[in-house]
Coordinates of all heavy atoms in Angstrom, one line a residue:
M520 N 2.3 -21.4 -0.7 CA 1.5 -22.7 -0.4 C 0.1 -22.3 -0.1 O -0.2 -21.6 0.9 CB 2.2 -23.4 0.7 CG 3.6 -23.9 0.4 SD 4.4 -24.9 1.7 CE 4.7 -23.6 2.9
M521 N -0.8 -22.9 -0.9 CA -2.3 -22.6 -0.7 C -3.0 -23.9 -0.6 O -3.2 -24.6 -1.5 CB -2.8 -21.8 -1.9 CG -2.1 -20.5 -2.1 SD -2.5 -19.7 -3.7 CE -1.3 -20.5 -4.7
N522 N -3.3 -24.2 0.7 CA -4.0 -25.5 1.0 C -4.9 -25.3 2.1 O -5.0 -26.1 3.0 CB -2.9 -26.6 1.3 CG -3.5 -28.0 1.3 OD1 -4.6 -28.2 0.7 ND2 -2.9 -28.9 2.1
G523 N -5.7 -24.2 2.0 CA -6.6 -23.9 3.2 C -7.8 -24.7 3.3 O -8.3 -25.4 2.3
K524 N -8.3 -24.7 4.5 CA -9.6 -25.5 4.8 C -10.8 -24.6 4.5 O -11.8 -25.1 4.1 CB -9.6 -25.9 6.3 CG -8.4 -26.7 6.7 CD -8.5 -27.1 8.2 CE -7.4 -27.9 8.6 NZ -6.1 -27.2 8.7
E525 N -10.7 -23.3 4.6 CA -11.8 -22.4 4.4 C -11.3 -21.0 4.2 O -10.3 -20.6 4.8 CB -12.7 -22.4 5.6 CG -13.9 -21.5 5.5 CD -14.8 -21.5 6.8 OE1 -14.7 -22.5 7.5 OE2 -15.4 -20.5 7.1
G526 N -11.9 -20.3 3.3 CA -11.4 -18.9 3.0 C -11.0 -18.8 1.5 O -11.5 -19.5 0.7
Q527 N -10.1 -17.9 1.3 CA -9.6 -17.7 -0.1 C -8.2 -17.1 -0.2 O -7.8 -16.4 0.7 CB -10.6 -16.8 -0.8 CG -10.7 -15.3 -0.3 CD -11.5 -14.4 -1.2 OE1 -11.4 -14.4 -2.4 NE2 -12.5 -13.7 -0.6
V528 N -7.6 -17.4 -1.3 CA -6.4 -16.7 -1.8 C -6.7 -16.0 -3.1 O -7.2 -16.6 -4.0 CB -5.2 -17.7 -1.9 CG1 -4.0 -17.0 -2.5 CG2 -4.8 -18.3 -0.6
L529 N -6.4 -14.7 -3.1 CA -6.6 -13.9 -4.3 C -5.3 -13.3 -4.7 O -4.8 -12.4 -4.0 CB -7.7 -12.9 -4.1 CG -8.0 -11.9 -5.2 CD1 -8.6 -12.6 -6.4 CD2 -9.0 -10.8 -4.7
L530 N -4.7 -13.8 -5.7 CA -3.4 -13.2 -6.2 C -3.7 -12.5 -7.5 O -4.0 -13.1 -8.5 CB -2.4 -14.3 -6.4 CG -1.9 -15.1 -5.2 CD1 -0.8 -16.1 -5.6 CD2 -1.5 -14.3 -4.1
V531 N -3.6 -11.1 -7.5 CA -3.9 -10.3 -8.6 C -2.7 -9.4 -9.0 O -2.1 -8.8 -8.1 CB -5.1 -9.4 -8.2 CG1 -5.5 -8.4 -9.4 CG2 -6.3 -10.2 -7.8
Q532 N -2.4 -9.5 -10.3 CA -1.3 -8.6 -10.8 C 0.0 -8.8 -10.0 O 0.7 -7.9 -9.7 CB -1.7 -7.1 -10.7 CG -2.9 -6.8 -11.6 CD -2.6 -6.9 -13.1 OE1 -2.6 -8.0 -13.6 NE2 -2.3 -5.8 -13.7
C533 N 0.3 -10.1 -9.7 CA 1.6 -10.4 -9.0 C 2.6 -11.0 -10.0 O 2.2 -11.7 -10.9 CB 1.3 -11.3 -7.9 SG 0.2 -10.6 -6.6
A534 N 3.9 -10.8 -9.6 CA 4.9 -11.3 -10.5 C 5.9 -12.2 -9.7 O 6.8 -11.6 -9.1 CB 5.7 -10.1 -11.1
P535 N 5.7 -13.5 -9.6 CA 6.6 -14.4 -8.9 C 7.9 -14.5 -9.8 O 7.9 -14.7 -11.0 CB 5.9 -15.7 -8.9 CG 4.5 -15.4 -9.2 CD 4.5 -14.2 -10.1
H536 N 9.1 -14.3 -9.2 CA 10.3 -14.4 -9.8 C 11.2 -15.4 -9.1 O 11.8 -15.2 -8.1 CB 11.1 -13.0 -9.8 CG 12.2 -12.9 -10.8 ND1 13.3 -13.7 -10.7 CD2 12.4 -12.2 -11.9 CE1 14.2 -13.4 -11.7 NE2 13.6 -12.5 -12.4
G537 N 11.1 -16.7 -9.7 CA 11.8 -17.8 -9.0 C 11.1 -18.3 -7.8 O 11.6 -18.9 -6.9
A538 N 9.7 -18.0 -7.7 CA 8.9 -18.4 -6.6 C 7.8 -19.3 -7.1 O 6.9 -18.7 -7.7 CB 8.4 -17.2 -5.8
D539 N 7.8 -20.6 -6.8 CA 6.8 -21.5 -7.3 C 5.5 -21.4 -6.5 O 5.6 -21.1 -5.3 CB 7.3 -22.9 -7.3 CG 8.3 -23.2 -8.3 OD1 8.6 -22.3 -9.1 OD2 8.8 -24.3 -8.4
L540 N 4.4 -21.6 -7.1 CA 3.1 -21.6 -6.4 C 2.7 -23.1 -6.3 O 2.7 -23.8 -7.3 CB 2.0 -20.9 -7.2 CG 2.1 -19.4 -7.2 CD1 3.1 -18.9 -8.2 CD2 0.7 -18.8 -7.6
T541 N 2.3 -23.5 -5.1 CA 1.8 -24.9 -4.8 C 0.4 -24.8 -4.4 O 0.1 -24.2 -3.4 CB 2.7 -25.6 -3.7 OG1 4.0 -25.6 -4.2 CG2 2.1 -27.0 -3.5
I542 N -0.5 -25.3 -5.2 CA -1.9 -25.3 -5.0 C -2.4 -26.7 -4.6 O -2.4 -27.6 -5.4 CB -2.7 -24.7 -6.2 CG1 -2.2 -23.3 -6.6 CG2 -4.2 -24.7 -6.0 CD1 -2.6 -22.9 -7.9
G543 N -2.8 -26.8 -3.3 CA -3.1 -28.1 -2.8 C -4.5 -28.5 -3.3 O -5.2 -27.9 -4.1
K544 N -5.0 -29.6 -2.8 CA -6.3 -30.1 -3.0 C -7.3 -29.0 -2.6 O -7.2 -28.5 -1.5 CB -6.6 -31.4 -2.3 CG -5.8 -32.6 -2.7 CD -6.3 -33.2 -4.0 CE -5.5 -34.5 -4.3 NZ -6.0 -35.1 -5.6
I545 N -8.2 -28.6 -3.5 CA -9.1 -27.5 -3.2 C -10.2 -27.9 -2.3 O -11.1 -28.7 -2.7 CB -9.6 -26.9 -4.5 CG1 -8.5 -26.4 -5.4 CG2 -10.5 -25.7 -4.2 CD1 -7.7 -25.3 -4.9
A546 N -10.3 -27.4 -1.1 CA -11.3 -27.8 -0.1 C -12.7 -27.2 -0.6 O -12.7 -26.2 -1.4 CB -11.0 -27.3 1.3
E547 N -13.8 -27.7 -0.1 CA -15.1 -27.3 -0.6 C -15.3 -25.8 -0.3 O -16.0 -25.2 -1.0 CB -16.1 -28.2 0.1 CG -17.6 -27.9 -0.4 CD -18.6 -28.8 0.3 OE1 -18.2 -29.8 0.9 OE2 -19.8 -28.5 0.1
E548 N -14.8 -25.3 0.8 CA -15.0 -23.9 1.2 C -13.8 -23.1 1.1 O -13.6 -22.1 1.8 CB -15.6 -23.9 2.6 CG -16.9 -24.6 2.8 CD -17.5 -24.4 4.2 OE1 -17.1 -23.5 4.9 OE2 -18.3 -25.3 4.6

Side-chain angles (χ1 to χ4, degrees):
M520 294 182 288
M521 296 170 280
N522 191 24
K524 302 179 180 71
E525 180 183 333
Q527 66 173 309
V528 173
L529 178 62
L530 299 184
V531 179
Q532 295 292 83
C533 297
H536 196 293
D539 289 358
L540 287 77
T541 301
I542 301 167
K544 296 283 187 179
I545 304 293
E547 184 177 348
E548 297 183 22

